Amino acid sequence: MTTPVERLLVSGDGEAWAQCHASTVARTGGRTLVAWFAGTREGTPDNAIWLVAEEDGVWSEPQVVLGEDDDVAWWNPVLAVAPDGRLWLFAHRGARISRWVTWYRTSTDHGRTWTEPRELVPGDASGGRGPVKNPPVVTPEGAWLAPSSVESGGAEPVWAARFDRSEDAGATWALANVPLDRSHVRGAGIIQPALWTGDDELVALCRSSEGVVYRTTSDDDGRSWSPAVPTRLPNNNSGLTVLRLPSGRVVLVHNPVGEDWGARCPLSLSVSDDDGVTWRPAVEVEDGVVPPASIAGVGLPTVAEEGAPSGFAAGDTGIVTDGRGEYSYPSATLDDDGSVLVGYTWQRRGIVLARVPVDLLDRAPAQGRKDGGAPAAPAGR
């Protein structure tokens, strides 16, 4: 790679786990926090939520913040700042994705100390409430809107995207489902929305089983949603994330691969100037060739090199993979200087934080993409 993107593996040498995945990143009080889950493999009972923090250029040692000695799998942490200024850490607990229960902790000192863990919606084991992968946003009316989804499990799983809306800074939540015409869907459906506040409405992009990203919108502050429709953005049935820049331009971080359970490399940034109707490629963050830097005195985790990568075997208890060649599941936030910070899985052995200068994303707009990602038809209501 020749772009001026800085990449740093922040999760340490990886000796404490065999695999890690699903990073989340937040910037608050002059600190950068990154969390992820790690254990033997995705879904095993030893998975816990780990966290590191950076302040004044110094990174802390990774520490378990949820699930220590719990003997139940923890998944998909999400860091987010609530409308009242508190920092939240959401995560999902359960042996099966279809029966996830969402837990959370909060912090009033930018992640230095945390409250005791609590269930987000006590007694709800329907597959997870609140944010499933990407952070909530504050809506124009001041609500807190969490991108959510559920997966049924079973031999023929059904996936559904939805949103959880809170009008009291996270104390209570109300669900709104995203309609999907399943007569045109070959696979499980759509999950893990990534949300932003557009010029005239709320907009979300969803991971899908169909080889492309799906788009949905809301014109009533997230209380209801338009039927999700396919775009021309390729999707490999892996998580994506979005971030709206102060300029109004929207940044999408994704693997631009149009195959169900396709390769999770490269990891790229695309940009849109029309609220996600059309896109153009902007920056490649990870190409799988040049390794990232590591924290001084800490080596990169070891990665097995024999044989071909395993691919992905998905089920209700998680994905089975050796992780080689996987650079995926991005999260993103703005740094104080306007740079975009992108966290992502590095071959299931570590978590990388990339810094993308904003000037790489603020170049003159182009018409659509040259790689088949756009122009896309607008989502209807």
Side-chain angles (χ1 to χ4, degrees):
M1 293 187 353
T2 59
T3 63
V5 175
E6 300 174 6
R7 297 176 301 136
L8 181 68
L9 192 138
V10 299
S11 53
D13 60 16
E15 293 300 315
W17 54 77
Q19 292 193 353
C20 63
H21 190 43
S23 68
T24 177
V25 58
R27 181 78 181 158
T28 176
R31 310 179 83 218
T32 302
L33 292 91
V34 183
W36 62 91
F37 71 76
T40 300
R41 70 160 181 84
E42 182 175 319
T44 55
D46 59 350
N47 271 277
I49 305 300
W50 293 72
L51 179 106
V52 291
E54 176 273 332
E55 189 168 7
D56 297 327
V58 178
W59 286 91
S60 67
E61 293 288 330
Q63 296 182 340
V64 175
V65 288
L66 278 169
E68 187 170 19
D69 300 322
D70 188 25
D71 203 34
V72 176
W74 287 79
W75 319 59
N76 288 25
V78 178
L79 289 163
V81 178
D84 61 7
R86 286 181 297 163
L87 176 66
W88 285 57
L89 172 63
F90 303 87
H92 307 282
R93 180 180 183 268
R96 294 183 175 275
I97 298 170
S98 60
R99 300 294 293 166
W100 274 351
V101 175
T102 303
W103 288 68
Y104 74 95
R105 304 181 77 173
T106 65
S107 174
T108 57
D109 57 7
H110 310 295
R112 295 179 178 87
T113 61
W114 297 89
T115 60
E116 289 298 311
R118 295 182 178 180
E119 288 187 38
L120 184 65
V121 180
D124 190 319
S126 62
R129 297 293 300 273
V132 66
K133 178 200 175 292
N134 292 303
V137 303
V138 179
T139 70
E141 293 184 13
W144 209 21
L145 190 64
S148 187
S149 58
V150 287
E151 306 175 35
S152 71
E156 297 183 359
V158 175
W159 294 354
R162 59 187 189 176
F163 291 85
D164 240 337
R165 190 173 185 273
S166 176
E167 297 182 351
D168 48 19
T172 60
W173 298 84
L175 284 170
N177 294 319
V178 177
L180 176 67
D181 183 355
R182 295 191 177 274
S183 67
H184 296 291
V185 174
R186 297 166 298 176
I190 59 174
I191 52 172
Q192 299 172 355
L195 173 67
W196 74 93
T197 301
D199 290 335
D200 302 310
E201 57 193 357
L202 297 166
V203 188
L205 299 179
C206 299
R207 165 184 175 176
S208 87
S209 57
E210 306 306 294
V212 294
V213 173
Y214 274 60
R215 184 177 185 269
T216 181
T217 61
S218 172
D219 60 9
D220 60 3
D221 210 62
R223 296 177 179 87
S224 65
W225 290 83
S226 68
V229 296
T231 71
R232 295 182 188 174
L233 277 166
N235 181 247
N236 57 343
N237 201 341
S238 184
L240 50 82
T241 198
V242 295
L243 190 66
R244 180 165 178 163
L245 302 178
S247 65
R249 179 165 290 171
V250 180
V251 177
L252 167 68
V253 192
H254 63 135
N255 300 117
V257 177
E259 178 186 358
D260 187 27
W261 299 114
R264 294 184 171 186
C265 182
L267 185 68
S268 302
L269 274 64
S270 298
V271 295
S272 174
D273 292 296
D274 53 14
D275 272 337
V277 176
T278 60
W279 297 86
R280 65 176 178 87
V283 180
E284 190 172 86
V285 171
E286 175 66 70
D287 61 5
V289 177
V290 180
S294 60
I295 295 171
V298 180
L300 293 176
T302 57
V303 178
E305 297 181 356
E306 295 182 0
S310 67
F312 307 96
D316 199 20
T317 57
I319 289 175
V320 178
T321 178
D322 63 15
R324 286 181 296 154
E326 177 180 356
Y327 311 96
S328 69
Y329 239 69
S331 56
T333 193
L334 286 176
D335 201 354
D336 298 346
D337 65 358
S339 299
V340 175
L341 300 177
V342 178
Y344 63 92
T345 295
W346 187 80
Q347 303 193 88
R348 300 263 171 165
R349 292 292 291 127
I351 301 299
V352 169
L353 186 68
R355 178 185 300 274
V356 182
V358 71
D359 62 351
L360 296 180
L361 306 170
D362 272 338
R363 295 169 179 167
Q367 295 299 315
R369 295 175 61 114
K370 296 180 180 179
D371 63 356
R381 273 203 66 81

